[in-house]
């Protein structure tokens, strides 16, 4: 069984934190892909590495180095559990570190 890891971002609107259209779309797409290929689906992770959202109430932001370590630790732990294939779906264009992190895991 493959593992599907959707990554999404929560967006801020007024004083409430809501899911952005991007996160809703990636969540739905992730569910469809996981069902189609019979994959185990982790819950969406509601944070990003976007510095342009710094100070925006309700937007959880990680430093790129923290995100890279998080993603690496997550995938390595899941490999230890027996998962062999991973699909990481990024629901926000600002997570630029994901590509290098995934390339390093594939090396």
């Amino acid at each position: 069984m493959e593992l599907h890891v959707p990554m999404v971002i929560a967006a801020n609107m007024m004083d409430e934190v809501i899911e952005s259209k991007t996160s809703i779309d990636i969540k739905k797409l992730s569910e469809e892909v996981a069902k189609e290929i019979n994959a185990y689906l982790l819950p969406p992770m509601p944070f990003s590495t976007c510095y342009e959202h710094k100070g925006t109430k309700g937007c959880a932001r990680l430093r790129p180095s923290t995100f890279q370590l998080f993603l690496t630790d997550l995938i390595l732990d899941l490999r230890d559990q027996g998962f062999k294939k991973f699909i990481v779906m990024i629901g926000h264009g600002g997570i630029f570190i994901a590509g290098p992190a995934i390339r390093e895991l594939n090396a």
Side-chain angles (χ1 to χ4, degrees):
M1 180 178 281
E2 295 181 1
L3 178 74
H4 190 201
V5 187
M7 309 295 274
V8 301
I9 182 172
N12 181 26
M13 178 170 270
M14 309 280 277
D15 288 329
E16 299 178 14
V17 176
I18 62 166
E19 285 188 301
S20 70
K21 182 167 182 352
T22 304
S23 70
I24 293 168
D25 291 347
I26 199 69
K27 181 178 179 191
K28 182 179 179 196
L29 180 59
S30 297
E31 290 167 350
E32 291 170 3
V33 169
K35 183 178 179 182
E36 179 72 25
I37 64 173
N38 189 31
Y40 177 74
L41 179 62
L42 289 179
M45 291 145 206
F47 45 76
S48 179
T49 59
C50 299
Y51 283 97
E52 60 269 20
H53 298 304
K54 184 178 181 180
T56 302
K57 190 175 181 179
C59 286
R61 178 184 56 87
L62 300 176
R63 290 179 293 158
S65 58
T66 302
F67 182 88
Q68 183 173 12
L69 290 171
F70 165 78
L71 183 59
T72 299
D73 286 350
L74 177 67
I75 298 295
L76 292 178
D77 185 61
L78 293 166
R79 279 185 184 164
D80 288 344
Q81 295 176 37
F83 289 98
K84 295 181 180 359
K85 295 180 181 179
F86 304 90
I87 299 171
V88 178
M89 294 183 72
I90 305 297
H92 190 274
I95 307 177
F96 302 112
I97 194 65
I102 292 166
R103 280 193 298 279
E104 187 173 315
L105 284 163
N106 285 330

